[in-house]
PDB file of all heavy atoms in Angstrom:
ATOM      1  N   LEU A  15       0.827  -1.191   0.008  1.00 98.00           N
ATOM      2  CA  LEU A  15       0.006  -0.011   0.011  1.00 98.00           C
ATOM      3  C   LEU A  15       0.866   1.275  -0.010  1.00 98.00           C
ATOM      4  O   LEU A  15       0.603   2.205  -0.770  1.00 98.00           O
ATOM      5  CB  LEU A  15      -0.946  -0.022   1.217  1.00 98.00           C
ATOM      6  CG  LEU A  15      -1.925   1.148   1.312  1.00 98.00           C
ATOM      7  CD1 LEU A  15      -2.845   1.157   0.081  1.00 98.00           C
ATOM      8  CD2 LEU A  15      -2.762   1.023   2.574  1.00 98.00           C
ATOM      9  N   VAL A  16       1.877   1.278   0.848  1.00 98.00           N
ATOM     10  CA  VAL A  16       2.826   2.411   0.862  1.00 98.00           C
ATOM     11  C   VAL A  16       3.526   2.557  -0.443  1.00 98.00           C
ATOM     12  O   VAL A  16       3.681   3.674  -1.022  1.00 98.00           O
ATOM     13  CB  VAL A  16       3.848   2.278   2.035  1.00 98.00           C
ATOM     14  CG1 VAL A  16       4.879   3.357   1.972  1.00 98.00           C
ATOM     15  CG2 VAL A  16       3.140   2.262   3.393  1.00 98.00           C
ATOM     16  N   GLY A  17       3.927   1.418  -1.034  1.00 98.00           N
ATOM     17  CA  GLY A  17       4.598   1.457  -2.332  1.00 98.00           C
ATOM     18  C   GLY A  17       3.699   2.002  -3.419  1.00 98.00           C
ATOM     19  O   GLY A  17       4.154   2.736  -4.324  1.00 98.00           O
ATOM     20  N   SER A  18       2.411   1.651  -3.380  1.00 98.00           N
ATOM     21  CA  SER A  18       1.447   2.088  -4.375  1.00 98.00           C
ATOM     22  C   SER A  18       1.259   3.601  -4.265  1.00 98.00           C
ATOM     23  O   SER A  18       1.098   4.302  -5.252  1.00 98.00           O
ATOM     24  CB  SER A  18       0.148   1.344  -4.242  1.00 98.00           C
ATOM     25  OG  SER A  18       0.292   0.003  -4.540  1.00 98.00           O
ATOM     26  N   VAL A  19       1.203   4.109  -3.013  1.00 98.00           N
ATOM     27  CA  VAL A  19       1.043   5.567  -2.818  1.00 98.00           C
ATOM     28  C   VAL A  19       2.281   6.270  -3.425  1.00 98.00           C
ATOM     29  O   VAL A  19       2.174   7.302  -4.091  1.00 98.00           O
ATOM     30  CB  VAL A  19       0.921   5.868  -1.332  1.00 98.00           C
ATOM     31  CG1 VAL A  19       1.027   7.385  -1.123  1.00 98.00           C
ATOM     32  CG2 VAL A  19      -0.382   5.355  -0.771  1.00 98.00           C
ATOM     33  N   ALA A  20       3.479   5.707  -3.159  1.00 98.00           N
ATOM     34  CA  ALA A  20       4.687   6.304  -3.727  1.00 98.00           C
ATOM     35  C   ALA A  20       4.666   6.314  -5.269  1.00 98.00           C
ATOM     36  O   ALA A  20       5.077   7.275  -5.903  1.00 98.00           O
ATOM     37  CB  ALA A  20       5.916   5.557  -3.205  1.00 98.00           C
ATOM     38  N   PHE A  21       4.216   5.222  -5.848  1.00 98.00           N
ATOM     39  CA  PHE A  21       4.105   5.146  -7.302  1.00 98.00           C
ATOM     40  C   PHE A  21       3.117   6.215  -7.824  1.00 98.00           C
ATOM     41  O   PHE A  21       3.299   6.756  -8.894  1.00 98.00           O
ATOM     42  CB  PHE A  21       3.654   3.761  -7.767  1.00 98.00           C
ATOM     43  CG  PHE A  21       4.813   2.873  -8.160  1.00 98.00           C
ATOM     44  CD1 PHE A  21       6.011   2.936  -7.487  1.00 98.00           C
ATOM     45  CD2 PHE A  21       4.695   1.991  -9.221  1.00 98.00           C
ATOM     46  CE1 PHE A  21       7.116   2.123  -7.890  1.00 98.00           C
ATOM     47  CE2 PHE A  21       5.736   1.174  -9.588  1.00 98.00           C
ATOM     48  CZ  PHE A  21       6.961   1.249  -8.918  1.00 98.00           C
ATOM     49  N   GLY A  22       2.033   6.440  -7.059  1.00 98.00           N
ATOM     50  CA  GLY A  22       1.079   7.444  -7.468  1.00 98.00           C
ATOM     51  C   GLY A  22       1.695   8.825  -7.417  1.00 98.00           C
ATOM     52  O   GLY A  22       1.489   9.618  -8.366  1.00 98.00           O
ATOM     53  N   VAL A  23       2.440   9.151  -6.395  1.00 98.00           N
ATOM     54  CA  VAL A  23       3.144  10.412  -6.311  1.00 98.00           C
ATOM     55  C   VAL A  23       4.187  10.536  -7.462  1.00 98.00           C
ATOM     56  O   VAL A  23       4.355  11.587  -8.042  1.00 98.00           O
ATOM     57  CB  VAL A  23       3.841  10.602  -4.942  1.00 98.00           C
ATOM     58  CG1 VAL A  23       4.625  11.891  -4.904  1.00 98.00           C
ATOM     59  CG2 VAL A  23       2.791  10.574  -3.799  1.00 98.00           C
ATOM     60  N   SER A  24       4.809   9.424  -7.758  1.00 98.00           N
ATOM     61  CA  SER A  24       5.779   9.418  -8.857  1.00 98.00           C
ATOM     62  C   SER A  24       5.102   9.762 -10.182  1.00 98.00           C
ATOM     63  O   SER A  24       5.668  10.533 -11.002  1.00 98.00           O
ATOM     64  CB  SER A  24       6.417   8.037  -8.955  1.00 98.00           C
ATOM     65  OG  SER A  24       7.222   7.920 -10.122  1.00 98.00           O
ATOM     66  N   ALA A  25       3.931   9.217 -10.409  1.00 97.00           N
ATOM     67  CA  ALA A  25       3.218   9.494 -11.623  1.00 97.00           C
ATOM     68  C   ALA A  25       2.894  10.973 -11.759  1.00 97.00           C
ATOM     69  O   ALA A  25       2.909  11.530 -12.842  1.00 97.00           O
ATOM     70  CB  ALA A  25       1.936   8.661 -11.671  1.00 97.00           C
ATOM     71  N   VAL A  26       2.531  11.606 -10.647  1.00 97.00           N
ATOM     72  CA  VAL A  26       2.258  13.076 -10.654  1.00 97.00           C
ATOM     73  C   VAL A  26       3.535  13.835 -11.070  1.00 97.00           C
ATOM     74  O   VAL A  26       3.489  14.718 -11.893  1.00 97.00           O
ATOM     75  CB  VAL A  26       1.774  13.526  -9.287  1.00 97.00           C
ATOM     76  CG1 VAL A  26       1.637  15.056  -9.275  1.00 97.00           C
ATOM     77  CG2 VAL A  26       0.452  12.886  -8.936  1.00 97.00           C
ATOM     78  N   GLY A  27       4.655  13.438 -10.485  1.00 97.00           N
ATOM     79  CA  GLY A  27       5.932  14.122 -10.800  1.00 97.00           C
ATOM     80  C   GLY A  27       6.367  13.843 -12.234  1.00 97.00           C
ATOM     81  O   GLY A  27       7.071  14.683 -12.828  1.00 97.00           O
ATOM     82  N   ALA A  28       5.982  12.704 -12.776  1.00 97.00           N
ATOM     83  CA  ALA A  28       6.417  12.322 -14.123  1.00 97.00           C
ATOM     84  C   ALA A  28       5.487  12.895 -15.189  1.00 97.00           C
ATOM     85  O   ALA A  28       5.687  12.585 -16.397  1.00 97.00           O
ATOM     86  CB  ALA A  28       6.471  10.811 -14.248  1.00 97.00           C
ATOM     87  N   TYR A  29       4.533  13.699 -14.855  1.00 97.00           N
ATOM     88  CA  TYR A  29       3.612  14.289 -15.863  1.00 97.00           C
ATOM     89  C   TYR A  29       4.403  14.942 -16.993  1.00 97.00           C
ATOM     90  O   TYR A  29       5.277  15.780 -16.760  1.00 97.00           O
ATOM     91  CB  TYR A  29       2.697  15.310 -15.225  1.00 97.00           C
ATOM     92  CG  TYR A  29       1.774  15.986 -16.181  1.00 97.00           C
ATOM     93  CD1 TYR A  29       0.652  15.381 -16.715  1.00 97.00           C
ATOM     94  CD2 TYR A  29       2.092  17.296 -16.625  1.00 97.00           C
ATOM     95  CE1 TYR A  29      -0.165  16.028 -17.642  1.00 97.00           C
ATOM     96  CE2 TYR A  29       1.290  17.979 -17.525  1.00 97.00           C
ATOM     97  CZ  TYR A  29       0.189  17.318 -18.037  1.00 97.00           C
ATOM     98  OH  TYR A  29      -0.619  17.979 -18.952  1.00 97.00           O
ATOM     99  N   VAL A  30       4.002  14.619 -18.196  1.00 96.00           N
ATOM    100  CA  VAL A  30       4.653  15.155 -19.385  1.00 96.00           C
ATOM    101  C   VAL A  30       3.737  16.150 -20.061  1.00 96.00           C
ATOM    102  O   VAL A  30       2.596  15.825 -20.440  1.00 96.00           O
ATOM    103  CB  VAL A  30       5.008  14.027 -20.397  1.00 96.00           C
ATOM    104  CG1 VAL A  30       5.632  14.612 -21.672  1.00 96.00           C
ATOM    105  CG2 VAL A  30       5.955  13.014 -19.745  1.00 96.00           C
ATOM    106  N   ASN A  31       4.164  17.355 -20.195  1.00 96.00           N
ATOM    107  CA  ASN A  31       3.407  18.395 -20.871  1.00 96.00           C
ATOM    108  C   ASN A  31       3.238  18.007 -22.351  1.00 96.00           C
ATOM    109  O   ASN A  31       4.288  17.844 -23.054  1.00 96.00           O
ATOM    110  CB  ASN A  31       4.097  19.735 -20.718  1.00 96.00           C
ATOM    111  CG  ASN A  31       3.241  20.912 -21.261  1.00 96.00           C
ATOM    112  OD1 ASN A  31       2.824  20.906 -22.408  1.00 96.00           O
ATOM    113  ND2 ASN A  31       3.021  21.851 -20.414  1.00 96.00           N
ATOM    114  N   PRO A  32       2.021  17.843 -22.867  1.00 96.00           N
ATOM    115  CA  PRO A  32       1.832  17.410 -24.243  1.00 96.00           C
ATOM    116  C   PRO A  32       2.291  18.435 -25.308  1.00 96.00           C
ATOM    117  O   PRO A  32       2.337  18.063 -26.486  1.00 96.00           O
ATOM    118  CB  PRO A  32       0.317  17.148 -24.323  1.00 96.00           C
ATOM    119  CG  PRO A  32      -0.239  18.025 -23.267  1.00 96.00           C
ATOM    120  CD  PRO A  32       0.761  18.060 -22.148  1.00 96.00           C
ATOM    121  N   VAL A  33       2.555  19.643 -24.890  1.00 95.00           N
ATOM    122  CA  VAL A  33       2.969  20.690 -25.813  1.00 95.00           C
ATOM    123  C   VAL A  33       4.480  20.814 -25.832  1.00 95.00           C
ATOM    124  O   VAL A  33       5.144  20.758 -26.859  1.00 95.00           O
ATOM    125  CB  VAL A  33       2.281  22.035 -25.494  1.00 95.00           C
ATOM    126  CG1 VAL A  33       2.777  23.107 -26.475  1.00 95.00           C
ATOM    127  CG2 VAL A  33       0.772  21.927 -25.570  1.00 95.00           C
ATOM    128  N   SER A  34       5.057  21.022 -24.663  1.00 94.00           N
ATOM    129  CA  SER A  34       6.507  21.275 -24.563  1.00 94.00           C
ATOM    130  C   SER A  34       7.306  19.983 -24.363  1.00 94.00           C
ATOM    131  O   SER A  34       8.513  19.939 -24.639  1.00 94.00           O
ATOM    132  CB  SER A  34       6.790  22.226 -23.397  1.00 94.00           C
ATOM    133  OG  SER A  34       6.455  21.608 -22.146  1.00 94.00           O
ATOM    134  N   GLY A  35       6.630  18.927 -23.875  1.00 92.00           N
ATOM    135  CA  GLY A  35       7.377  17.706 -23.588  1.00 92.00           C
ATOM    136  C   GLY A  35       8.121  17.727 -22.298  1.00 92.00           C
ATOM    137  O   GLY A  35       8.837  16.774 -21.937  1.00 92.00           O
ATOM    138  N   GLN A  36       8.002  18.797 -21.517  1.00 95.00           N
ATOM    139  CA  GLN A  36       8.714  18.952 -20.271  1.00 95.00           C
ATOM    140  C   GLN A  36       8.074  18.078 -19.181  1.00 95.00           C
ATOM    141  O   GLN A  36       6.888  18.005 -19.058  1.00 95.00           O
ATOM    142  CB  GLN A  36       8.704  20.407 -19.820  1.00 95.00           C
ATOM    143  CG  GLN A  36       9.487  20.684 -18.529  1.00 95.00           C
ATOM    144  CD  GLN A  36       9.525  22.172 -18.199  1.00 95.00           C
ATOM    145  OE1 GLN A  36       8.979  22.984 -18.914  1.00 95.00           O
ATOM    146  NE2 GLN A  36      10.175  22.452 -17.096  1.00 95.00           N
ATOM    147  N   VAL A  37       8.927  17.391 -18.397  1.00 95.00           N
ATOM    148  CA  VAL A  37       8.489  16.592 -17.279  1.00 95.00           C
ATOM    149  C   VAL A  37       8.282  17.465 -16.083  1.00 95.00           C
ATOM    150  O   VAL A  37       9.136  18.334 -15.730  1.00 95.00           O
ATOM    151  CB  VAL A  37       9.475  15.473 -16.960  1.00 95.00           C
ATOM    152  CG1 VAL A  37       8.996  14.631 -15.744  1.00 95.00           C
ATOM    153  CG2 VAL A  37       9.653  14.581 -18.163  1.00 95.00           C
ATOM    154  N   HIS A  38       7.158  17.305 -15.398  1.00 96.00           N
ATOM    155  CA  HIS A  38       6.829  18.223 -14.268  1.00 96.00           C
ATOM    156  C   HIS A  38       7.901  18.241 -13.185  1.00 96.00           C
ATOM    157  O   HIS A  38       8.386  19.309 -12.789  1.00 96.00           O
ATOM    158  CB  HIS A  38       5.482  17.774 -13.663  1.00 96.00           C
ATOM    159  CG  HIS A  38       5.094  18.506 -12.419  1.00 96.00           C
ATOM    160  ND1 HIS A  38       4.813  19.853 -12.445  1.00 96.00           N
ATOM    161  CD2 HIS A  38       4.945  18.116 -11.164  1.00 96.00           C
ATOM    162  CE1 HIS A  38       4.490  20.282 -11.227  1.00 96.00           C
ATOM    163  NE2 HIS A  38       4.568  19.222 -10.412  1.00 96.00           N
ATOM    164  N   ASN A  39       8.279  17.049 -12.688  1.00 97.00           N
ATOM    165  CA  ASN A  39       9.339  16.994 -11.633  1.00 97.00           C
ATOM    166  C   ASN A  39      10.035  15.621 -11.742  1.00 97.00           C
ATOM    167  O   ASN A  39       9.667  14.690 -11.052  1.00 97.00           O
ATOM    168  CB  ASN A  39       8.714  17.221 -10.288  1.00 97.00           C
ATOM    169  CG  ASN A  39       9.742  17.426  -9.185  1.00 97.00           C
ATOM    170  OD1 ASN A  39      10.857  16.966  -9.315  1.00 97.00           O
ATOM    171  ND2 ASN A  39       9.411  18.167  -8.157  1.00 97.00           N
ATOM    172  N   ALA A  40      11.021  15.540 -12.605  1.00 95.00           N
ATOM    173  CA  ALA A  40      11.676  14.263 -12.905  1.00 95.00           C
ATOM    174  C   ALA A  40      12.371  13.703 -11.650  1.00 95.00           C
ATOM    175  O   ALA A  40      12.369  12.515 -11.416  1.00 95.00           O
ATOM    176  CB  ALA A  40      12.660  14.439 -14.039  1.00 95.00           C
ATOM    177  N   GLN A  41      12.943  14.581 -10.878  1.00 96.00           N
ATOM    178  CA  GLN A  41      13.674  14.145  -9.663  1.00 96.00           C
ATOM    179  C   GLN A  41      12.743  13.533  -8.639  1.00 96.00           C
ATOM    180  O   GLN A  41      13.007  12.484  -8.082  1.00 96.00           O
ATOM    181  CB  GLN A  41      14.451  15.280  -9.034  1.00 96.00           C
ATOM    182  CG  GLN A  41      15.277  14.854  -7.834  1.00 96.00           C
ATOM    183  CD  GLN A  41      16.114  16.014  -7.277  1.00 96.00           C
ATOM    184  OE1 GLN A  41      16.085  17.125  -7.783  1.00 96.00           O
ATOM    185  NE2 GLN A  41      16.861  15.735  -6.230  1.00 96.00           N
TER     186      GLN A  41
END
């Protein structure tokens, strides 16, 4: 469960802007 929450937060940080291609927060 903790791991899944972390993966969810990771997905938010990995958001890719469909126009610029910039990743929201890669680190």
Side-chain angles (χ1 to χ4, degrees):
L15 184 59
V16 174
S18 295
V19 171
F21 263 37
V23 176
S24 171
V26 174
Y29 175 78
V30 178
N31 188 303
V33 177
S34 66
Q36 183 176 359
V37 178
H38 175 63
N39 192 332
Q41 183 176 0

